[in-house]
Amino acid sequence: MDNNMTTLYDFTLQTAQGEDKSLNDYQGKVLLIVNTATRCGLTPQYEELQSLYAKYREQGLEILDFPCNQFREQALENGAEYAKVCQMKFGTQFTIFNKIEVNGENTHPLYAYLKQQQPEDLGNHVFKDFLLKLASFGEKREGADIKWNFTKFLVNRKGEVVARFAPSVTPFEMETEIQKLLAA
C-alpha cells in the first residue's frame, strides 16, 4: 500500500463507466463499501442494498459497489456490462466501480487499506461453517483476507472504517448500525 494514502478520501477509482471518481467526493457521508458478484448465491443482497440506499441516501448514505471475480469467477462481466445487469435486475442506483482484486498480490490499494483498518469480519456461525467447507476444497482465506463476495465495510462521516461484516450478514441486519452513523 502506498504510504501517501493515509485516509479513505485519498483514493481515486474508476467507475464502471470508465470515469475516475475520487472518494474525497464522499466526505461527510456514511459509506457502505461492498465487493460483489452477479453470479453468487448472495447476489440477492443487491435488493436489500438498493432498498437501504433508497431509504437513506437523502440522509447521507452512499453505497460503493466493487465487483470482484476472485471467488470462483462469479463476476465475469466487464464494468459497463456489470452495471447494466445490476440496474436491470435489481434497480441499483448507487455507484458501481470497475472490477478490482481484493486479495493477493494484486489487491487494490483501497482494499489493502480497508483490511488494515478492519481485519476481522463480524459475522455468524453459518458463515464460519461455509469457510470450513471452502477449506475442505483447498480454498483458504486467512487473517484479514476478504473471505467471499458481499463482505461489507461500514464507514462513518469522518471517513473512519468502523466495522466489517461477513458476507452472510445481510444489509438489513446492518440497518441499526447505519442509522446510528447517519444520526451522529
Side-chain angles (χ1 to χ4, degrees), residues 41-80:
L42 299 173
T43 301
Q45 287 189 23
Y46 264 118
E47 293 171 2
E48 290 186 19
L49 288 169
Q50 178 54 39
S51 179
L52 288 176
Y53 184 65
K55 186 174 182 179
Y56 295 111
R57 72 176 162 201
E58 294 298 320
Q59 296 175 44
L61 175 66
E62 290 291 336
I63 296 174
L64 309 183
D65 178 351
F66 291 93
C68 178
N69 198 36
Q70 286 186 284
F71 304 102
R72 298 224 166 181
E73 298 183 350
Q74 296 178 339
L76 297 174
E77 304 88 351
N78 69 33

